[in-house]
Structure formats: structure tokens, C-alpha cells
Amino acid sequence: MNALLEVRHATRRFAGLVAVNDVSFTLAPGEILGLIGPNGAGKTTLISLISGTLPPSQGEVFFQGEPITKVPAYRRARLGIGRTFQIMRPFPGLSVLDNVAVGALFGRGGGQPKLALAREQARACLDFVGLSRFVDQRADELGGPGRKRLELAKALAMQPKVLLCDEVMAGLNHVEIEEVIDVIRKVRDQGISVLVIEHVIKAIKSLSDRLLVLHHGEKIADGAPDDVLANATVIEAYLGRRRP
Ligand SMILES: Nc1ncnc2c1ncn2[C@@H]1O[C@H](COP(=O)(O)OP(=O)(O)O)[C@@H](O)[C@H]1O
Ligand SMILES: [Mg+2]
């Protein structure tokens, strides 16, 4: 099997609601996969099933050919599955540097146990995402765009093989979006596969090798961005709402 990550028939129910309904897809090494769909479509839930912060009601997740469905989240991080959170959770009292150092301490392969070396790794990640100037500030002093970059740096400090990005461009202006796109391209150029949730169609189209569309928890399209965005079902379910 060539896929780095594979989701097979994943379903997640919450009480009476089916948030993710029988979704299957693969992510290849070095691929950028865009995940789109209206609010409530199940995008964040799907990422949680992959990172292990939520168990699926049904279905399986494979990483590097091995089943990980029953592997807890912290061990999936050690295997190399990194994620950002849509609802950002910095450690508010810690410096920007130490927020990212925490990622390095608990990353792939068990992390870097020496704090000084974890901080060095953190510095490199902050430089990578363009936050070098803010290393000594407290994390809660960062503005919205800074916090998005901090989420990316925290996840990258874990040295993931696959990075799951949940709306890291939300609330950013055009210039900031372009900058984050550049960062994600650089991440992929390091050989890391990326799954990215994003609402700005222009941004996701230019960034993604492939697009996957969720609607009411179901996968309604999966393919080349141009084909997917021209697909009648996708236009009706999602894009059509924004056009007269
Ligand atoms: N922890 C939860 N408990 C109950 N319902 C949830 C929970 N998380 C998400 N949902 C519901 O599941 C559906 C999908 O949510 P979500 O995955 O956050 O969608 P998206 O990220 O695409 O906006 C929504 O109807 C949401 O209200
Ligand atoms: Mg979401």
C-alpha cells in the first residue's frame, strides 16, 4: 500500500447526529489534500478521528499501512500525526517559545527529552512560520494571525510525517493567507503530507493537489481541484450558496 494515511468507512455519531458518515480516502506521501465543505459538514470531526482525539463509531484508520484506530492520540502524535486546532489552545502563561517547545518535548518518536534542545527545535519552527520576533512574548499576547502561526509551529515542532491543519487561514487577510500558503508549501517540500481544511476556495484550490468535499458528513467528491470545483453536486451543495 502506497498511502501514508488511509481512512476506511469512518463513521462518527453524536447522540442522534451522524457527523461523519462512511467516509473513505487516502493521503499519499508528500501530498497536499484540501478538505472543504459547509460549516457542520464534519471536517473537524474527521480530523479528530485521524489524530485520535475522538474514536470513530465505525470504520478504521491506517497509518503507514498499520491500523491505528485503537491507538490513543498521544501515541499517534509519536508516530508522526500532527494537528492544529480550530479552537486554538495555547498555554496562556507560557512564552511563545515554550508553547512550541512543549510540542518538541512530546513529538514524534517520543520527543526531545532535553528542554534546552526542545527550545532550540522550537526556535527553528518559529523561524519557519515567521514568528521569530515574538519568541519571548506570552502566547496570550499574540493577535489572531500570530496564534494561527503558533498552532502551526506547535504542530511542526512535533516533527510530524502528516500535518492536519484545521482552518489555519480563517480570519486572515489576503496577504496573511498567502504567507500561510507559502509556509504550508514549505512544509510539503520537507516531505510532510498535509491535510488542510480551508474555506477560501481560491486559496485551497491553488494549494491543494487534490480536493475532498464533505456535505452532511458524507464524502461527495474527491479528485483534482478543477474537476471537483466544476462538479454539479459540489456546486449545488456548497459553492452554489455563495453564488446568485
Ligand atoms: N463533541 C460534539 N458533540 C456533539 N455534536 C458535535 C460534537 N462535535 C461536532 N458535533 C456536531 O457534528 C457536526 C459536524 O461538526 P464539525 O465536525 O465541527 O463540522 P465542521 O468542522 O465541518 O464545521 C455538527 O453538526 C456539530 O454540531
Ligand atoms: Mg470545523
Side-chain angles (χ1 to χ4, degrees):
M1 184 175 86
N2 292 325
L4 179 66
L5 178 77
E6 183 175 3
V7 173
R8 275 192 214 160
H9 301 293
T11 293
R12 171 68 203 201
R13 296 188 195 89
F14 293 113
L17 177 96
V18 188
V20 171
N21 193 358
D22 195 22
V23 171
S24 299
F25 70 94
T26 59
L27 181 63
E31 186 176 37
I32 300 180
L33 174 65
L35 174 57
I36 63 174
N39 280 330
K43 304 181 297 296
T44 296
T45 303
L46 184 58
I47 277 194
S48 296
L49 300 182
I50 298 168
S51 70
T53 44
L54 279 175
S57 309
Q58 261 146 25
E60 289 173 291
V61 183
F62 294 81
F63 185 61
Q64 301 179 121
E66 302 287 329
I68 57 162
T69 318
K70 298 211 157 46
V71 173
Y74 77 93
R75 281 189 43 216
R76 294 192 202 191
R78 286 185 186 172
L79 289 173
I81 299 178
R83 78 171 286 182
T84 70
F85 286 90
Q86 180 176 6
I87 300 172
M88 297 168 277
R89 309 167 174 180
F91 301 108
L94 289 187
S95 67
V96 166
L97 181 69
D98 281 347
N99 263 273
V100 180
V102 170
L105 288 168
F106 295 98
R108 177 152 64 88
Q112 168 53 257
K114 295 203 173 71
L115 181 59
L117 293 180
R119 283 186 170 140
E120 248 174 59
Q121 237 170 272
R123 242 174 238 285
C125 292
L126 284 162
D127 193 35
F128 191 86
V129 303
L131 278 185
S132 304
R133 279 176 299 147
F134 303 100
V135 284
D136 295 324
Q137 280 195 14
R138 280 172 39 156
D140 53 0
E141 290 169 345
L142 285 178
R147 286 183 189 211
K148 291 286 182 193
R149 284 169 190 251
L150 178 63
E151 275 294 307
L152 272 171
K154 278 164 62 181
L156 287 170
M158 302 181 84
Q159 303 195 305
K161 291 182 180 173
V162 56
L163 179 65
L164 312 169
C165 296
D166 197 350
E167 301 207 16
V168 287
M169 299 173 223
L172 304 187
N173 66 34
H174 289 302
V175 175
E176 292 158 348
I177 287 176
E178 283 303 321
E179 289 168 352
V180 170
I181 284 178
D182 284 345
V183 170
I184 292 175
R185 287 210 176 101
K186 277 198 299 172
V187 168
R188 187 265 290 281
D189 291 345
Q190 296 195 333
I192 300 169
S193 302
V194 185
L195 190 157
V196 52
I197 296 176
E198 178 46 48
H199 281 296
V200 180
I201 293 296
K202 195 167 149 245
I204 198 90
K205 183 179 163 184
S206 81
L207 181 61
S208 306
D209 300 313
R210 226 174 86 219
L211 275 185
L212 191 154
V213 189
L214 284 186
H215 185 49
H216 296 314
E218 290 180 19
K219 180 171 105 168
I220 58 168
D222 180 354
D226 285 338
D227 297 342
V228 164
L229 294 172
N231 176 308
T233 313
V234 173
I235 291 169
E236 189 181 333
Y238 183 37
L239 305 169
R241 294 180 182 189
R242 296 190 173 182
R243 289 178 187 171

